[in-house]
Amino acid sequence: MRRQLAGAVAALLLLTACSGEEAGPPPAGGTVKIAINGWAGYEASAAVLGRLLEQELGYEVRRVELNEAQSWEGLEKGTVDVIVENWGHETEKKTYIEEKKVAVSAGRNGNRGVIGWYVPQWMADRYPDITDWRQLNKYAHLFKTDKSGNFGQLLDGDASYVTNDEALVRNLKLDYKVVYAGSEKALIRAARTATRRRTPLLMYFYEPQWLFTQIKLAKINLPPYAIGCDTDAAKVACDYPPYLLDKIVSRRFADTGGRAYELVRNFTWTNGQQNAVADDMTNNGLNADQAAQKWIDANRIVWKDWVPD
């Protein structure tokens, strides 16, 4: 009887192991430190990647809130393993990847980045030539604020964001002053207010960004970008380049991160997919983990190939 019972138990254990249905969570694989930069799209990407590292591979994820410059420094210090959304930063790439060799690129994340100057669509409708940078001085008086004094205000976000705006204003001889709003939230609030109240606004903004699904903004046509026109930061007089956003990881993580590094390297999604998660985080009452989980539950066909065997 004991032999029969033992045999039955063994068979049941074998069947369970083979089916995988009761296998439980994957074994813990260590800790991955992801830098969190201060805009919703980045947080959306980091949230989805973090949830997959935890749920599918059993890693602990530590989210480290830093600005962009601090994130690169963290790769060298060991406080950061992964930057999920890198906007160019050619100087940092030269320093940390080529010279110090403490970081490597983990490939593109699929997002296409655009940086530029925008006005509410109602302004472009009322003043059809306002989207031509050569006409901006004619309208500078519309954008004057207490912070800009006798100049028109160009509203930027956080001073740590990728921006050439002070050089552009100076080199294009525009009667404007750059004023820093301090955050993405402040830029969004200004855009919504200017659209709702039909008040003038000239602002630095970017895509991917969920706000474009809710209000209309018109992009200013700055002098066209050409390769090398932004090499000297002090002499920039051209538009921002198109960005194929990529992921940056520490060399240590690339060498020892195993399956976690493979997942980071495989992660790639579209502007629309990022915007959907960011919109849920910002407007639909979900926190980052909840918004990420909602997207993960609905999009297994998208992310299943990111997860290494």
Side-chain angles (χ1 to χ4, degrees):
M1 182 67 179
R2 289 181 180 177
R3 290 179 180 175
Q4 291 175 339
L5 180 59
V9 170
L12 179 60
L13 289 173
L14 179 61
L15 179 62
T16 300
C18 291
S19 68
E21 294 178 359
E22 300 296 329
T31 301
V32 180
K33 300 181 286 291
I34 300 179
I36 304 296
N37 294 166
W39 59 92
Y42 186 109
E43 293 181 54
S45 294
V48 168
L49 183 59
R51 293 293 285 175
L52 291 173
L53 284 165
E54 292 167 340
Q55 293 178 5
E56 299 300 314
L57 300 184
Y59 282 79
E60 176 187 352
V61 174
R62 188 176 304 160
R63 295 160 177 83
V64 188
E65 295 188 6
L66 301 167
N67 65 33
E68 292 172 88
Q70 292 168 338
S71 299
W72 280 90
E73 293 168 2
L75 295 171
E76 181 178 22
K77 294 176 180 178
T79 56
V80 169
D81 295 319
V82 181
I83 296 172
V84 183
E85 182 178 303
N86 173 61
W87 287 73
H89 288 291
E90 298 306 319
T91 299
E92 285 78 5
K93 283 184 175 180
K94 182 177 181 180
T95 299
Y96 293 98
I97 295 178
E98 297 178 17
E99 296 174 357
K100 295 187 175 183
K101 302 187 185 304
V102 295
V104 298
S105 173
R108 294 173 181 168
N109 74 1
N111 293 145
R112 295 177 177 271
V114 176
I115 295 176
W117 296 358
Y118 294 83
V119 294
Q121 183 61 45
W122 72 263
M123 293 197 76
D125 294 339
R126 181 177 295 182
Y127 312 105
D129 61 346
I130 201 171
T131 56
D132 181 346
W133 72 271
R134 291 166 293 192
Q135 305 302 319
L136 284 177
N137 281 344
K138 181 170 68 173
Y139 296 105
H141 65 282
L142 297 176
F143 300 103
K144 288 183 180 180
T145 69
D146 291 341
K147 293 182 178 179
S148 66
N150 292 324
F151 297 93
Q153 175 177 278
L154 170 56
L155 190 66
D156 270 39
D158 188 308
S160 70
Y161 289 178
V162 174
T163 175
N164 298 326
D165 288 356
E166 292 185 6
L168 281 169
V169 166
R170 181 177 62 252
N171 296 329
L172 295 178
K173 296 179 171 54
L174 298 177
D175 298 331
Y176 286 80
K177 178 181 179 180
V178 176
V179 174
Y180 292 95
S183 68
E184 179 183 71
K185 289 182 180 179
L187 285 176
I188 290 171
R189 185 165 55 247
R192 282 176 156 169
T193 299
T195 298
R196 184 176 67 254
R197 297 181 181 175
R198 297 178 76 80
T199 52
L201 175 68
L202 175 63
M203 65 184 291
Y204 164 104
F205 213 47
Y206 42 83
E207 300 181 58
Q209 169 51 243
W210 59 264
L211 187 65
F212 285 98
T213 66
Q214 297 193 0
I215 65 175
K216 292 184 178 181
L217 300 172
K219 192 172 184 293
I220 303 297
N221 295 312
L222 293 169
Y225 175 81
I227 295 175
C229 72
D230 57 351
T231 301
D232 187 338
K235 297 181 179 179
V236 175
C238 60
D239 207 344
Y240 291 87
Y243 293 93
L244 297 176
L245 306 183
D246 60 348
K247 302 155 290 188
I248 307 296
V249 301
S250 71
R251 179 169 291 278
R252 181 196 59 78
F253 180 68
D255 291 341
T256 66
R259 299 176 77 213
Y261 170 63
E262 290 185 56
L263 175 54
V264 171
R265 189 180 58 193
N266 293 341
F267 172 80
T268 177
W269 67 347
T270 66
N271 286 14
Q273 289 163 346
Q274 185 191 89
N275 286 342
V277 177
D279 187 32
D280 275 339
M281 290 166 48
T282 309
N283 303 304
N284 297 330
L286 302 183
N287 63 35
D289 278 344
Q290 291 168 338
Q293 192 62 56
K294 175 184 174 183
W295 187 87
I296 288 169
D297 290 343
N299 291 277
R300 180 177 178 81
I301 193 170
V302 178
W303 59 260
K304 64 181 179 65
D305 290 335
W306 303 345
V307 181
D309 295 333

